[in-house]
Amino acid sequence: MTDTRLPRDNSSVTLQDIAAHAGVSRSTVSLVLRESPLVAERTRRKVQQSIKTLGYVYNRGAAAMRGGRTQTLGVVVYDIANPFFGAMVAGINAELTQQDYVSFLANSEDSVPRQQRFLERMREHRVDGLLLCPAAGSSPDLIETLEGWGMPCVQILRYIGTPPFDYAGTDFRHVVRLGMDHLVSLGHQRIAFVGGAEHAVSQDRLKAYDECLLRHGLVYRRLIRGEGVTRKDGFLLIQELMQETPRPTAVMCHNDMVAFGVMLGLKRIGLTPGKDCAVIGTDDVEEAALGDPPLTSVATHPYAIGEQAARLALRRIAAPTAPREQVVLSPSLVIRDSCGKPLREIDIQGNIPACLN
C-alpha cells in the first residue's frame, strides 16, 4: 500500500512533511538539521530516517542567508600539480572534516587575473573564509579588499602586505640555511642557487643564500632563475649553468620540483647527480625518496602547514576581532644520496668530480 504521507515530488518536501512522517514537531526537525545537541538520539535517528525516506535535500545556501555561515572555506593555490600542494590540501581537508567544513579548491596558476576571478566567485558563494597562497604579483591591497568583503583570510606559504596578518607557513630562511650548511659541511665552496619567483618568500630564500655565503666566507655567488619553480625550469637552468667557468660543485634548489629537473638536466649532459654535482631540494615531497639518486631535501611539512592553516582560519571565523596570528613551522634536513660523499673523501680516493675540473 502506498504511504499517503509521502509527497509525490521530492523537490517539494517541506519540514512539515518530515515532521508528519516522523511523528515529531517541525521545530524538532529544524533542530536535527542544525545538529542541535538538544535532540534525543532516538528522535534524531527517526527524523534522519524520514529525511532519507522522503528524499529531502537541505538547502544550505538558504540556511546560510538566515544564519550567516555556509560551513565552507575557499582554498586558492598557484600550482596544484605540485605534490607539495596535494599534501597541504590533504592536511587542510583533514582538519576541516573534523569541524564539518568543506573546501572549495582553486588553482590560480600564478595568474593575478585568474586569482581575482576565483576570489569573486568564492565571495558569490559566501564562503566563510579563505586560505590564500597569493599569486606572484598580487597587490598588497588585496588583503584589505578581502577584509572589506567580510571574508577572513589566512595567507599560506607566501604572503603580501605588511604584518599584522594571519599566516601559516615555514621558516624559509632557515630552510636555506640548513641546506647551505650541509653543502658547506661536505666541502663545497661553489654553491649556486637555482630557481625562484617574484614574491616575498622567494626573496626570503635569496636573502638567506647571500647571508650563508657571507657567513661561510664564500666568494662564489651564482643565482639563476627561470620563469617559474617547476621541473622544466630546473632542467633548463642547470644545463645553462654547467656551461659556465667555473661551474658550481653543488646547487641549492628553490624546491623539490626544480631539484628533480636539475638532476634530469645533469644526466642529459652526461653528469651524475651526487657525484659530479651535489643537489639539494626543498619540501621533501614523497617523490624525493624515490628519485635516482634519492634527493636530499629540507622538509617543510606541507600536511602540517595545511592543518595549522585550517585551524587558524576557523579560529578567525569564530573570533573576527581577535589578535592576528602567525604559525611558522620549523623545517628539518633529510639527508639522502643526491649530495654524495664529502669532497675531501672523494679527493682521498682520487675520484675528482667533473665539476671540479
Side-chain angles (χ1 to χ4, degrees), residues 74-321:
V75 180
V76 182
V77 300
Y78 66 86
D79 183 14
I80 195 60
N82 186 329
F84 175 93
F85 286 107
M88 188 184 77
V89 170
I92 292 171
N93 286 335
E95 184 62 29
L96 293 183
T97 297
Q98 295 183 36
Q99 304 301 324
D100 195 30
Y101 262 73
V102 296
S103 65
F104 291 157
L105 176 64
N107 184 26
S108 73
E109 298 179 2
D110 242 357
S111 164
V112 172
R114 182 178 172 87
Q115 173 181 268
Q116 184 64 25
R117 290 196 300 273
F118 285 134
L119 294 177
E120 291 172 354
R121 186 60 56 85
M122 288 178 176
R123 182 190 187 192
E124 293 170 1
H125 283 277
R126 299 173 56 85
V127 297
D128 292 339
L130 182 70
L131 298 179
L132 174 66
C133 185
S138 296
S139 170
D141 296 336
L142 176 60
I143 302 304
E144 294 182 6
T145 298
L146 295 173
E147 289 180 353
W149 290 356
M151 184 183 293
C153 176
V154 175
Q155 299 188 74
I156 314 178
L157 304 178
R158 296 177 177 180
Y159 57 88
I160 52 176
T162 56
F165 48 66
D166 290 323
Y167 174 80
T170 193
D171 185 342
F172 286 104
R173 289 200 180 193
H174 192 44
V175 165
V176 175
R177 286 194 291 268
L178 287 173
M180 291 290 291
D181 288 354
H182 179 62
L183 292 171
V184 171
S185 75
L186 295 176
H188 295 282
Q189 296 187 357
R190 297 202 300 274
I191 306 171
F193 192 98
V194 177
E198 294 297 331
H199 56 77
V201 169
S202 185
Q203 296 301 318
D204 285 345
R205 285 180 166 99
L206 303 183
K207 289 177 183 177
Y209 171 65
D210 283 334
E211 291 168 359
C212 288
L213 295 180
L214 180 63
R215 177 161 52 86
H216 290 292
L218 303 180
V219 296
Y220 178 92
R221 179 185 186 277
R222 187 66 174 95
L223 168 63
I224 183 167
R225 302 165 69 178
E227 297 181 355
V229 289
T230 67
R231 194 185 304 253
K232 181 179 180 181
D233 289 298
F235 178 76
L236 296 175
L237 291 174
I238 193 62
Q239 294 181 73
E240 173 186 337
L241 182 60
M242 298 307 281
Q243 300 303 314
E244 298 179 358
T245 303
R247 56 190 185 184
T249 65
V251 291
M252 177 80 202
C253 298
H254 181 277
N255 63 13
D256 285 348
M257 294 297 103
V258 171
F260 295 147
V262 164
M263 292 199 294
L264 289 173
L266 288 171
K267 293 176 182 179
R268 173 63 63 89
I269 58 178
L271 301 178
T272 302
K275 179 180 178 183
D276 297 323
C277 186
V279 182
I280 190 166
T282 296
D283 292 335
D284 192 36
V285 299
E286 184 176 357
E287 187 181 346
L290 307 176
D292 180 24
L295 177 66
T296 292
S297 184
V298 182
T300 54
H301 314 298
Y303 188 95
I305 290 175
E307 288 181 309
Q308 292 293 337
R311 291 169 189 163
L312 181 51
L314 295 175
R315 289 199 296 272
R316 175 59 56 205
I317 291 168
T321 61

Side-chain angles (χ1 to χ4, degrees), residues 33-51:
L33 289 171
R34 288 187 281 122
E35 300 180 355
S36 170
L38 300 177
V39 182
E41 185 60 29
R42 183 172 179 273
T43 302
R44 184 188 309 279
R45 288 197 299 268
K46 184 164 60 174
V47 171
Q48 289 172 340
Q49 183 58 50
S50 293
I51 290 172

